[in-house]
Amino acid sequence: MATTAHNAKRLHRFDATKRLVARLQREEAVIGGIGHSNFDLWAAGHRPQNFYMLGSMGLAVPIALGVALAQPQRRVFALEGDGSLLMQLGCLATVATLRPANLAILVMDNGTYQITGGQATPAAGGADYVAIARGCGIAGAAWAADEADLERLIDNALATDGPHLIGLKLDDQGPAAQTERDPPQIRDRFMRGLGTKTSKLPG
Amino acid sequence: MSQAWHEIVLEVLKANEIRLIPYVPDNVLKPLIAAIHADPFFTAFTTAREEEAVGIVAGGAMAGMRGMVLMQTSGFATLANVLASLPCAFQIPVLLMISERGTLGEFNLGQAAVWRTMRPTLEALAMPHQVITRLDECGFIADRVIRQALMTQQPAALVLSPLLTGAKASPVKAGS
């Protein structure tokens, strides 16, 4: 039986993020959404192909889509929180229409706005992000049943054509660290990591 | 015979390698959108919101594919937060082309009201912007604004005035 929103194990976000990062061997780009989604990406160990958002809530998937369209040979992951995705649900329809084969979306669903005090999102009535994604046309969208299943789904996203969407049910554990907030530096390093900027300045 | 504004804009986009064109449609932009879709040089598609298109162009720009978002005035009014915190803060040359509604014969009060927020918002963001009113200046302004944005790593907006595009006023007479 397929994993549903109700029987998916609640994972720790930092542990799940580390499992993703450990499987990235080919300079895959990762866009960390606003707040704790990118804090834990940062805490998992900076990679030159990481981009950490600061504001622009809801744009992790669109930014990742832009990167995926520009560099079709590179795999691109968006790490987006559930509250953030709710701000820009229409982007799932866009992704389904464009069908970028190299794009994977991880929805980090703890059901709350954790960074502002843990208030419940308006999806508390039972909105199911994987079902929404499938309804938009991302046919392979799936909830991760547990840690091993998450790793299987990430491997699948790395090895097969997407777009992919993986839903992660999370517990309420806080972030492991806080990202350094220096946007031009983040952009500069990300562009060097993607090979779109070269500089004699040490980076 | 002189070129239409949208033919000039198309040439400027191609000359500056602006390929990625996500947009929320607008009637005045229709001939430009049609020409962009007809040319395989471009990757053009609609988005659900203008914010989404700004994110896509920001991602594309960082990954080496230049882009521009097409919208109308009311769409620009949805963007202050994402412009401030993404292209302005990160210094990414996200280009906007705004079809100006709400002025010079607007018939929709909502459009007229939101039009008043456009220039103050652009100025408050300290975002470079130019209004194009004349056909003979269209190519020069569009090209220079785009080039400056790319060279200085700043977002920029091009506003297409009804003086340029001939956007139609309501055929209904006031008071009738």
Side-chain angles (χ1 to χ4, degrees):
Chain A
M1 194 183 118
T3 305
T4 67
H6 302 291
N7 65 16
K9 179 181 174 186
R10 291 194 174 269
L11 308 175
H12 299 310
R13 182 182 45 236
F14 182 47
D15 176 73
T17 305
K18 282 191 291 188
R19 287 174 192 271
L20 167 68
V21 170
R23 307 185 97 69
L24 303 180
Q25 306 294 330
R26 299 177 63 191
E27 301 192 346
E28 296 86 351
V30 184
I31 311 300
I34 188 174
H36 293 173
S37 302
N38 83 59
F39 286 11
D40 275 343
L41 177 64
W42 170 270
H46 175 68
R47 305 165 57 251
Q49 296 81 25
N50 285 0
F51 182 79
Y52 312 96
M53 279 169 54
L54 185 95
S56 73
M57 184 169 178
L59 294 195
V61 174
I63 293 169
L65 174 58
V67 174
L69 292 172
Q71 298 199 356
Q73 303 308 316
R74 187 188 301 276
R75 296 274 160 173
V76 184
F77 287 79
L79 309 185
E80 188 64 305
D82 50 338
S84 289
L85 184 61
L86 278 173
M87 283 216 167
Q88 207 68 237
L89 272 180
C91 73
L92 298 179
T94 310
V95 167
T97 297
L98 296 178
R99 304 198 59 75
N102 56 333
L103 178 65
I105 300 164
L106 270 63
V107 181
M108 316 288 257
D109 179 9
N110 60 10
T112 67
Y113 299 102
Q114 191 181 47
I115 201 167
T116 56
Q119 302 87 350
T121 73
D128 180 321
Y129 300 102
V130 165
I132 290 168
R134 285 189 193 142
C136 287
I138 303 176
W143 286 105
D146 53 25
E147 289 86 350
D149 193 39
L150 171 64
E151 293 186 339
R152 182 187 65 81
L153 290 167
I154 292 168
D155 288 344
N156 181 55
L158 287 166
T160 66
D161 282 354
H164 300 280
L165 186 141
I166 305 169
L168 283 72
K169 284 290 180 184
L170 301 177
D171 63 17
D172 60 0
Q173 189 179 68
Q178 216 174 93
T179 308
E180 286 180 21
R181 292 186 172 93
D182 189 336
Q185 291 273 359
I186 291 168
R187 191 259 305 150
D188 178 271
R189 279 156 176 72
F190 183 58
M191 290 180 71
R192 294 181 194 220
L194 296 187
T196 52
K197 180 179 177 182
T198 55
S199 172
K200 289 180 178 169
L201 294 170
Chain B
M1 209 176 102
S2 66
Q3 289 177 294
W5 68 267
H6 49 88
E7 294 169 328
I8 296 170
V9 168
L10 194 84
E11 281 186 5
V12 169
L13 293 177
K14 293 182 80 166
N16 286 285
E17 297 272 324
I18 311 296
R19 293 175 183 271
L20 184 58
I21 315 285
Y23 65 92
V24 178
D26 170 77
N27 204 40
V28 168
L29 293 170
K30 203 162 64 175
L32 178 62
I33 291 167
I36 286 171
H37 273 290
D39 190 331
F41 176 86
F42 297 101
T43 300
F45 50 90
T46 52
T47 58
R49 286 177 66 80
E50 293 81 359
E51 291 180 316
E52 187 192 343
V54 167
I56 292 165
V57 168
M62 289 190 287
M65 188 180 198
R66 300 170 179 174
M68 176 180 268
V69 183
L70 312 182
M71 71 196 83
Q72 66 171 230
T73 307
S74 56
F76 174 78
T78 68
L79 290 179
N81 176 55
V82 299
L83 290 174
S85 59
L86 186 59
C88 292
F90 286 84
Q91 299 174 9
I92 303 167
V94 170
L95 301 164
L96 311 180
M97 179 163 280
I98 306 164
S99 163
E100 189 176 28
R101 274 200 66 177
T103 187
L104 297 172
E106 177 61 56
F107 55 88
N108 179 333
L109 175 58
Q111 291 280 357
V114 80
W115 172 82
R116 292 194 289 270
T117 69
M118 182 173 66
R119 283 170 180 73
T121 303
L122 285 164
E123 282 159 16
L125 289 166
M127 199 169 137
H129 59 282
Q130 293 286 338
V131 182
I132 309 179
T133 59
R134 293 170 52 103
L135 195 61
D136 61 347
E137 295 177 350
C138 179
F140 185 92
I141 294 175
D143 181 61
R144 294 298 176 93
V145 165
I146 290 170
R147 284 164 60 177
Q148 181 170 328
L150 297 172
M151 289 186 291
T152 60
Q153 295 149 202
Q154 295 293 323
L158 288 163
V159 180
L160 304 178
S161 166
L163 290 164
L164 176 77
T165 61
K168 287 189 179 120
S170 170
V172 180
K173 289 177 185 167
S176 64

